[in-house]
Short mmCIF file of all heavy atoms in Angstrom, two decimals:
data_model
loop_
_atom_site.label_atom_id
_atom_site.label_comp_id
_atom_site.label_asym_id
_atom_site.label_seq_id
_atom_site.Cartn_x
_atom_site.Cartn_y
_atom_site.Cartn_z
N LEU A 134 -12.86 16.80 16.61
CA LEU A 134 -12.51 17.08 17.94
C LEU A 134 -13.45 18.13 18.52
O LEU A 134 -13.89 19.06 17.79
CB LEU A 134 -11.07 17.72 17.93
CG LEU A 134 -10.27 17.81 19.18
CD1 LEU A 134 -9.89 16.34 19.60
CD2 LEU A 134 -9.00 18.49 18.99
N ASP A 135 -13.81 18.06 19.83
CA ASP A 135 -14.76 18.95 20.43
C ASP A 135 -14.20 20.28 20.48
O ASP A 135 -12.95 20.45 20.50
CB ASP A 135 -15.18 18.40 21.78
CG ASP A 135 -16.12 17.18 21.83
OD1 ASP A 135 -16.65 16.96 20.79
OD2 ASP A 135 -16.16 16.53 22.88
N PRO A 136 -15.13 21.31 20.40
CA PRO A 136 -14.52 22.73 20.54
C PRO A 136 -13.77 22.91 21.84
O PRO A 136 -14.22 22.59 22.87
CB PRO A 136 -15.88 23.58 20.57
CG PRO A 136 -16.77 22.65 19.85
CD PRO A 136 -16.55 21.27 20.22
N GLY A 137 -12.46 23.48 21.63
CA GLY A 137 -11.71 23.74 22.86
C GLY A 137 -10.93 22.58 23.31
O GLY A 137 -10.07 22.75 24.27
N ALA A 138 -11.18 21.28 22.70
CA ALA A 138 -10.42 20.19 23.12
C ALA A 138 -9.08 20.13 22.64
O ALA A 138 -8.68 20.71 21.66
CB ALA A 138 -11.17 18.92 22.71
N GLU A 139 -8.21 19.32 23.30
CA GLU A 139 -6.77 19.39 22.89
C GLU A 139 -6.35 17.86 22.50
O GLU A 139 -7.32 17.04 22.32
CB GLU A 139 -5.90 19.68 24.15
CG GLU A 139 -6.05 21.19 24.53
CD GLU A 139 -5.25 21.63 25.70
OE1 GLU A 139 -4.53 20.79 26.34
OE2 GLU A 139 -5.08 22.81 26.00
N ASN A 140 -4.98 17.73 22.30
CA ASN A 140 -4.57 16.32 21.86
C ASN A 140 -5.00 15.92 20.50
O ASN A 140 -5.40 14.72 20.26
CB ASN A 140 -4.95 15.34 22.92
CG ASN A 140 -3.99 15.44 24.21
OD1 ASN A 140 -2.79 15.66 24.23
ND2 ASN A 140 -4.60 15.22 25.32
N SER A 141 -5.16 16.80 19.51
CA SER A 141 -5.47 16.48 18.11
C SER A 141 -4.52 15.56 17.58
O SER A 141 -4.82 14.69 16.75
CB SER A 141 -5.76 17.80 17.20
OG SER A 141 -4.56 18.57 17.32
N GLY A 142 -3.23 15.77 17.98
CA GLY A 142 -2.14 14.80 17.49
C GLY A 142 -2.39 13.40 17.91
O GLY A 142 -2.13 12.35 17.14
N LYS A 143 -2.82 13.24 19.15
CA LYS A 143 -3.09 11.85 19.57
C LYS A 143 -4.31 11.30 18.84
O LYS A 143 -4.35 10.14 18.56
CB LYS A 143 -3.37 12.06 21.17
CG LYS A 143 -3.73 10.59 21.77
CD LYS A 143 -3.95 10.88 23.26
CE LYS A 143 -4.33 9.44 23.96
NZ LYS A 143 -4.57 9.68 25.37
N LEU A 144 -5.35 12.13 18.72
CA LEU A 144 -6.57 11.58 17.92
C LEU A 144 -6.17 11.18 16.53
O LEU A 144 -6.53 10.27 15.95
CB LEU A 144 -7.61 12.63 17.83
CG LEU A 144 -8.78 12.45 17.06
CD1 LEU A 144 -9.53 11.09 17.38
CD2 LEU A 144 -9.82 13.52 17.14
N ILE A 145 -5.25 11.97 15.88
CA ILE A 145 -4.85 11.60 14.47
C ILE A 145 -4.06 10.31 14.57
O ILE A 145 -4.22 9.50 13.64
CB ILE A 145 -3.92 12.79 13.87
CG1 ILE A 145 -4.83 14.00 13.62
CG2 ILE A 145 -3.23 12.39 12.64
CD1 ILE A 145 -4.00 15.25 13.39
N SER A 146 -3.22 10.13 15.48
CA SER A 146 -2.59 8.82 15.55
C SER A 146 -3.45 7.73 15.76
O SER A 146 -3.27 6.49 15.15
CB SER A 146 -1.54 8.87 16.76
OG SER A 146 -0.52 9.77 16.62
N VAL A 147 -4.59 7.88 16.47
CA VAL A 147 -5.58 6.83 16.63
C VAL A 147 -6.20 6.50 15.16
O VAL A 147 -6.25 5.25 14.87
CB VAL A 147 -6.71 7.20 17.58
CG1 VAL A 147 -7.87 6.23 17.60
CG2 VAL A 147 -6.09 7.31 19.03
N ILE A 148 -6.64 7.59 14.54
CA ILE A 148 -7.32 7.19 13.20
C ILE A 148 -6.28 6.73 12.13
O ILE A 148 -6.62 5.80 11.32
CB ILE A 148 -8.13 8.32 12.74
CG1 ILE A 148 -7.24 9.53 12.35
CG2 ILE A 148 -9.21 8.76 13.77
CD1 ILE A 148 -8.12 10.73 11.77
N LYS A 149 -5.01 7.22 12.15
CA LYS A 149 -3.99 6.64 11.21
C LYS A 149 -3.79 5.14 11.48
O LYS A 149 -3.69 4.41 10.63
CB LYS A 149 -2.70 7.41 11.48
CG LYS A 149 -2.68 8.74 10.78
CD LYS A 149 -2.84 8.76 9.29
CE LYS A 149 -1.56 8.17 8.53
NZ LYS A 149 -0.33 8.90 8.70
N LYS A 150 -3.79 4.84 12.87
CA LYS A 150 -3.56 3.35 13.18
C LYS A 150 -4.71 2.58 12.69
O LYS A 150 -4.64 1.44 12.13
CB LYS A 150 -3.36 3.23 14.59
CG LYS A 150 -3.07 1.76 15.09
CD LYS A 150 -2.81 1.78 16.57
CE LYS A 150 -2.61 0.27 17.04
NZ LYS A 150 -2.35 0.30 18.54
N GLU A 151 -5.99 2.96 12.85
CA GLU A 151 -7.18 2.27 12.31
C GLU A 151 -7.19 2.18 10.90
O GLU A 151 -7.57 1.11 10.33
CB GLU A 151 -8.38 2.98 12.95
CG GLU A 151 -9.75 2.39 12.46
CD GLU A 151 -9.91 0.88 12.99
OE1 GLU A 151 -9.18 0.35 13.74
OE2 GLU A 151 -10.89 0.24 12.33
N ALA A 152 -6.87 3.30 10.27
CA ALA A 152 -6.76 3.22 8.77
C ALA A 152 -5.89 2.26 8.15
O ALA A 152 -6.01 1.52 7.18
CB ALA A 152 -6.50 4.60 8.21
N GLY A 153 -4.59 2.19 8.77
CA GLY A 153 -3.68 1.18 8.44
C GLY A 153 -4.17 -0.23 8.59
O GLY A 153 -3.87 -1.07 7.70
#
Side-chain angles (χ1 to χ4, degrees):
L134 202 64
D135 287 344
E139 297 181 348
N140 285 319
S141 55
K143 182 178 177 181
L144 176 54
I145 290 169
S146 295
V147 169
I148 64 176
K149 283 291 294 289
K150 182 177 180 180
E151 176 65 13

